Amino acid sequence: MMELTRKGEYAVRGIIHLARQPYGNVALLSDIAEEAEIPQTFLAKIFQNFAKLGFINSYRGTGGGFSLARPASAITLRQVVEAVEGPIAPNRCVTQGGECDRSAACVVHDVWRRVQLQTLEILDGVTIEELARKSK
Amino acid sequence: MMELTRKGEYAVRGIIHLARQPYGNVALLSDIAEEAEIPQTFLAKIFQNFAKLGFINSYRGTGGGFSLARPASAITLRQVVEAVEGPIAPNRCVTQGGECDRSAACVVHDVWRRVQLQTLEILDGVTIEELARKSK
DNA sequence: TGCCTTCAAGACCATTTTTATCCTTTTTAG
DNA sequence: CTAAAAAGGATAAAAATGGTCTTGAAGGCA
């Protein structure tokens, strides 16, 4: 239950691998995909999205590729996960504009809210830099 | 991301409604389904499962229905959720027998593990009795 | 200029999961 | 014996997941 999808896993692995490059270095999609063991075309979609969101820069043509658009220490795990999976919420009633009409009546609401806040706190506290720094 | 399914919601709502009956009282599936606004045939499957797991008792025939098999205070939200959604895990690498071969290499492993533990702690700490007691 | 490299964007598709419904059988009370 | 209820299994539509493919656009270089 409540599992990250492949896309989410790939997104995290992909950006970690990118963050392990020397800063400013432009890496090929094909290289990152191979290193991180991710289907290249799938990773392409994910990185396209990251580029739009300003996490990474993309360069086309010969010598092109991807690089981080800001220091890895300024990108949190939460940002990456939410970018691909959408807002983190253990159930519908705690999403922004959540359609929990029963919100008042919904006695489990606070519980889910607590789960959400705890999770966000953890994921906010982890940066891609920390993850990239770890061995391997 | 990481949302409870309808089935999970129905399961929680359904057992809460059952827990609001006078203890020992046998309630009709059709009544619970109507009160909790859950498709009856869907709730039937959920309750069948709960019966197998020993959360509730079922009685067939005239005058039959469902009742809690143990006090609502002895059923946790975690048990209910896991019964229908499977083990709570924010990603594959933290499930029992988790197939995270990269477990060592997986630098995010501890983070997911922490999220999992926090979530379990919260859900373990809430009983159906508490939820049923709340207004409405 | 033209060609090659690399990412962008959108269409497409198979599989699995979700969210149910329906029908037949079994059990039980009266 | 009959009506009431749940059990159990088959079926199915819709959505999400996990991709692939094709075409286009942009940039470097001879």
Side-chain angles (χ1 to χ4, degrees):
Chain A
M1 179 233 173
M2 310 200 345
E3 278 178 21
L4 207 61
T5 63
R6 291 292 161 120
K7 186 155 91 166
E9 270 192 53
Y10 292 163
V12 173
R13 288 224 304 273
I15 203 165
I16 287 174
H17 277 261
L18 194 57
R20 281 186 181 139
Q21 304 284 121
Y23 188 66
N25 191 297
V26 172
L28 285 178
L29 178 66
S30 53
D31 288 348
I32 300 290
E34 192 177 2
E35 281 176 35
E37 298 177 77
I38 301 171
Q40 182 176 332
T41 54
F42 203 165
L43 185 59
K45 299 297 182 187
I46 294 167
F47 273 13
Q48 271 172 41
N49 190 232
F50 280 173
K52 275 188 198 153
L53 294 171
F55 293 159
I56 67 183
N57 291 127
S58 74
Y59 306 94
R60 309 216 264 198
T62 310
F66 296 90
S67 66
L68 287 188
R70 49 181 207 258
S73 57
I75 304 175
T76 67
L77 184 54
R78 173 183 175 181
Q79 287 168 344
V80 171
V81 170
E82 290 199 328
V84 292
E85 304 268 13
I88 287 167
N91 90 343
R92 292 170 191 75
C93 76
V94 292
T95 55
Q96 179 67 0
E99 13 98 23
C100 190
D101 342 320
R102 59 181 78 234
S103 187
C106 176
V107 295
V108 252
H109 190 280
D110 322 357
V111 180
W112 297 128
R113 185 78 184 136
R114 273 194 288 147
V115 170
Q116 182 184 39
L117 292 178
Q118 283 288 339
T119 303
L120 292 180
E121 195 177 313
I122 293 170
L123 299 189
D124 274 331
V126 177
T127 70
I128 299 306
E129 190 270 333
E130 288 173 57
L131 296 172
R133 203 181 339 124
K134 293 199 185 174
S135 75
K136 190 71 214 164
Chain B
M1 178 232 172
M2 310 199 346
E3 278 178 21
L4 207 62
T5 63
R6 290 292 161 123
K7 185 156 91 168
E9 270 192 55
Y10 293 163
V12 173
R13 288 225 304 274
I15 202 165
I16 287 174
H17 278 262
L18 193 57
R20 281 187 181 140
Q21 302 285 121
Y23 188 66
N25 190 299
V26 171
L28 286 180
L29 177 66
S30 53
D31 289 347
I32 300 290
E34 192 179 2
E35 280 174 37
E37 299 176 76
I38 301 170
Q40 181 176 333
T41 55
F42 202 162
L43 185 60
K45 299 299 183 186
I46 294 168
F47 273 13
Q48 271 172 42
N49 190 233
F50 280 173
K52 275 187 198 155
L53 294 170
F55 294 159
I56 68 184
N57 291 127
S58 73
Y59 306 94
R60 309 217 265 198
T62 310
F66 296 91
S67 65
L68 287 189
R70 48 182 208 258
S73 58
I75 305 175
T76 68
L77 185 54
R78 174 182 176 183
Q79 288 169 342
V80 171
V81 170
E82 290 200 326
V84 291
E85 305 268 13
I88 286 167
N91 91 343
R92 293 172 191 73
C93 76
V94 292
T95 54
Q96 178 67 0
E99 12 100 22
C100 190
D101 341 321
R102 58 182 78 234
S103 188
C106 176
V107 294
V108 252
H109 190 280
D110 323 358
V111 180
W112 296 128
R113 185 77 184 135
R114 273 194 288 147
V115 169
Q116 182 183 38
L117 292 178
Q118 283 288 340
T119 302
L120 291 180
E121 195 177 313
I122 293 171
L123 299 189
D124 273 332
V126 177
T127 69
I128 299 306
E129 190 271 331
E130 288 173 58
L131 296 172
R133 203 181 341 122
K134 292 199 187 173
S135 75
K136 191 70 214 164

